[in-house]
Amino acid sequence: MDIVLAISQLTNRVQGVIHARVFKIWQAIDTKNNNVWGMNFVLLDKEGDAIQGVMPINIYRRMEIDFVEGNICEIGRFTVEHIKNSAFRTVKHDFTLYFSGQTYVTPLAPDLHDVPVCYFDFKRLEDIGTKITDEKQPFDVIGRVSHFTTIQEKWANGKPTKMQTIYMTNESGQTVEMTLWAHFVDELDIDGAYAKSNNQPIILACSSVMLKPYRGKYSLKAYAATRFYMDRGIKEIKEYLESVHCDDTAIQNTDAIVSNEGSPSNAHAQNIDRIKISLGELSMLPLNNFSTGQYLCVAQIVGVNNPFDWYYEGCPKCNGKLRQSWCVGCETKREQPIICYKILWQVEDDTGEAEFSAIGNTAQYMIGEKASEVKDKSNLDCNELPPPLKKLIGKKYKFTVSGKLQVLYKNHRVYNILQSELNSSK
């Protein structure tokens, strides 16, 4: 019977089997031709130690049913070699596992093995760009999500691609940004996490992010080995919350709240610091003020600037606008779209006027009906504004708008509504 070894005991001089959780798996790519030649992986044992390994793609195909992220397995007949190149190492172990045609993987009952779910070796945010400067060395970080941007659609690699920037802050106030692209936006799903957070802080633990230097500044980026964790049941996240006492600290900048084509209801925009400002003052702010922040304006709705296209056909999964039934964000054809609001309110006060956009649930909160219901009850051929929209003209609201401009051309600005409240004062 083979000896069951701890991962910390693995060297090129010992033989045996290990009982370990498959923490993560990602593709090994030949940078010369961009072909996938194998699979990298990280294994984690009950002592909390981890080791990185690699196997040829044909070996992975043979065992991929059992060798799945999260599974606990007995693994034997592997080889162990000392690390020759420390680049792209995700764990601290000095050795690497290699799987061959003789390697076997046998799933074990998870209830019989108390193996941690995750492995982290957190680095301080303060050290990014000082002690942490190697662009080829992944590392782990943890912090509170202080704010995040809207999901944008950018042109990358010859096709439209999702992009979103996340800002993480630690207990000392140090902040670092991480820009996510393509499928990483959906994998993190920070908009969904915020909608479910009940205005509680979101602690984000990132496994294996990379450094991204640009013009003397450093940010974070995700790559194939990156994984995101926000579950408060995870030991490291629970310990972080207890250590920094931030259970009542809400996300500070809900410029982050609104997705590209939809937004949550007013309930998710409470308890945020806002700058009270008139429309005249808002229009005079320099453009470089509009990267972050929120502004509270009391204004009257005087019209709708898009009376004939106040709704759009959206993706039922991400609310993104469909183009000939195709969702760019999900890269999927949608046969049954949903109807979503996208209203451009013209508003004014004693000092000036502005254009505010109400998208998705933000508009539904104001109108009190779903966009599909309003559309079904409206005579779209008579070129008249639907009554539920028309009845809001003349009413005065307290608007919280995002400092990030949604549209800007020829000095024309459109501000995204994050929250609205009917103004009862005269």
Side-chain angles (χ1 to χ4, degrees):
M1 183 175 181
D2 292 322
I3 300 173
V4 178
L5 300 171
I7 284 178
S8 61
Q9 296 175 302
L10 291 177
T11 71
N12 53 1
R13 297 181 180 181
V14 298
Q15 292 184 339
V17 302
I18 57 173
H19 291 175
R21 184 185 299 278
V22 183
F23 176 39
K24 54 181 163 181
I25 311 169
W26 69 100
Q27 293 177 337
I29 299 176
D30 188 335
T31 56
K32 295 180 180 179
N33 53 31
N34 210 35
N35 291 334
V36 178
W37 66 266
M39 301 298 286
N40 296 298
F41 56 88
V42 172
L43 302 177
L44 177 62
D45 68 10
K46 64 180 181 180
E47 283 76 25
D49 294 311
I51 189 169
Q52 188 166 321
V54 66
M55 71 178 98
I57 192 65
N58 63 309
I59 303 299
Y60 175 70
R61 296 303 180 203
R62 178 169 60 83
M63 61 178 62
E64 63 180 328
I65 294 177
D66 297 324
F67 198 77
V68 177
E69 287 191 10
N71 278 8
I72 300 174
C73 305
E74 177 176 295
I75 303 168
R77 297 176 189 168
F78 50 82
T79 58
V80 183
E81 295 184 15
H82 201 280
I83 295 174
K84 298 176 181 178
N85 184 356
S86 62
F88 301 103
R89 301 300 303 177
T90 63
V91 298
K92 293 188 294 185
H93 207 291
D94 292 332
F95 290 83
T96 300
L97 278 185
Y98 290 90
F99 285 9
S100 67
Q102 296 181 334
T103 303
Y104 72 86
V105 172
T106 303
L108 299 174
D111 57 340
L112 300 179
H113 294 79
D114 186 18
V115 181
V117 175
C118 306
Y119 169 86
F120 298 107
D121 180 23
F122 292 123
K123 305 300 181 184
R124 302 194 317 157
L125 298 187
E126 292 93 332
D127 294 336
I128 294 174
T130 53
K131 296 180 180 179
I132 303 173
T133 57
D134 188 346
E135 300 173 39
K136 295 183 178 181
Q137 183 59 56
F139 56 97
D140 307 335
V141 293
I142 188 170
R144 178 176 58 84
V145 178
S146 54
H147 54 290
F148 51 99
T149 66
T150 61
I151 298 175
Q152 301 178 49
E153 187 178 284
K154 299 288 186 179
W155 197 260
N157 298 322
K159 63 179 181 179
T161 305
K162 286 184 180 180
M163 187 200 79
Q164 186 175 34
T165 300
I166 314 297
Y167 296 84
M168 297 174 63
T169 302
N170 67 5
E171 63 276 13
S172 62
Q174 183 75 27
T175 298
V176 65
E177 69 178 68
M178 175 172 58
T179 298
L180 303 178
W181 293 84
H183 64 93
F184 289 113
V185 175
D186 295 323
E187 288 179 13
L188 178 59
D189 188 21
I190 193 65
D191 295 87
Y194 183 80
K196 299 174 184 176
S197 68
N198 293 321
N199 214 32
Q200 293 298 304
I202 296 175
I203 305 303
L204 174 60
C206 302
S207 170
S208 303
V209 292
M210 302 284 282
L211 199 63
K212 181 182 179 182
Y214 181 70
R215 294 183 178 180
K217 296 183 179 180
Y218 292 90
S219 60
L220 306 179
K221 65 178 181 180
Y223 79 114
T226 303
R227 300 292 185 272
F228 305 114
Y229 303 91
M230 293 179 284
D231 186 347
R232 289 185 171 216
I234 293 175
K235 178 174 70 73
E236 290 82 358
I237 292 179
K238 184 178 180 180
E239 291 173 351
Y240 185 87
L241 277 166
E242 293 172 349
S243 67
V244 299
H245 307 290
C246 64
D247 291 274
D248 297 323
T249 307
I251 291 179
Q252 294 297 311
N253 177 13
T254 44
D255 168 35
I257 295 177
V258 187
S259 67
N260 199 29
E261 297 288 355
S263 58
S265 67
N266 275 23
H268 301 304
Q270 303 291 337
N271 302 323
I272 307 296
D273 290 336
R274 298 166 294 180
I275 302 172
K276 190 171 182 179
I277 196 170
S278 69
L279 297 185
E281 293 169 325
L282 189 67
S283 66
M284 295 300 292
L285 287 174
L287 297 182
N288 58 11
N289 277 20
F290 289 92
S291 58
T292 60
Q294 296 179 21
Y295 298 88
L296 176 63
C297 308
V298 178
Q300 184 179 35
I301 297 175
V302 295
V304 176
N305 290 343
N306 58 334
F308 308 126
D309 61 344
W310 51 267
Y311 69 90
Y312 66 91
E313 292 187 342
C315 172
K317 181 178 180 181
C318 72
N319 284 347
K321 189 173 183 179
L322 298 184
R323 293 166 175 80
Q324 297 181 340
S325 300
W326 181 259
C327 176
V328 175
C330 298
E331 297 184 347
T332 304
K333 189 173 183 180
R334 301 297 185 188
E335 299 295 344
Q336 296 182 326
I338 60 172
I339 303 301
C340 305
Y341 284 114
K342 190 171 185 179
I343 304 172
L344 297 176
W345 298 115
Q346 184 70 23
V347 301
E348 66 177 29
D349 65 8
D350 294 337
T351 67
E353 58 184 21
E355 191 169 29
F356 289 174
S357 70
I359 307 173
N361 290 341
T362 300
Q364 182 175 319
Y365 180 87
M366 298 179 68
I367 295 167
E369 296 183 59
K370 293 181 178 179
S372 58
E373 297 172 351
V374 175
K375 177 178 177 291
D376 291 342
K377 291 187 295 186
S378 302
N379 185 354
L380 301 179
D381 296 327
C382 68
N383 293 332
E384 289 187 2
L385 193 65
L389 277 68
K390 185 185 294 186
K391 72 179 183 181
L392 298 189
I393 296 176
K395 293 187 177 181
K396 186 177 289 188
Y397 281 83
K398 296 177 182 178
F399 292 104
T400 299
V401 297
S402 168
K404 190 178 183 71
L405 295 176
Q406 186 189 26
V407 178
L408 173 62
Y409 58 94
K410 295 183 180 179
N411 205 33
H412 179 76
R413 310 175 183 200
V414 178
Y415 307 90
N416 217 334
I417 298 172
L418 302 178
Q419 180 180 358
S420 63
E421 178 186 349
L422 195 61
N423 187 37
S424 57
S425 61
K426 297 182 179 179

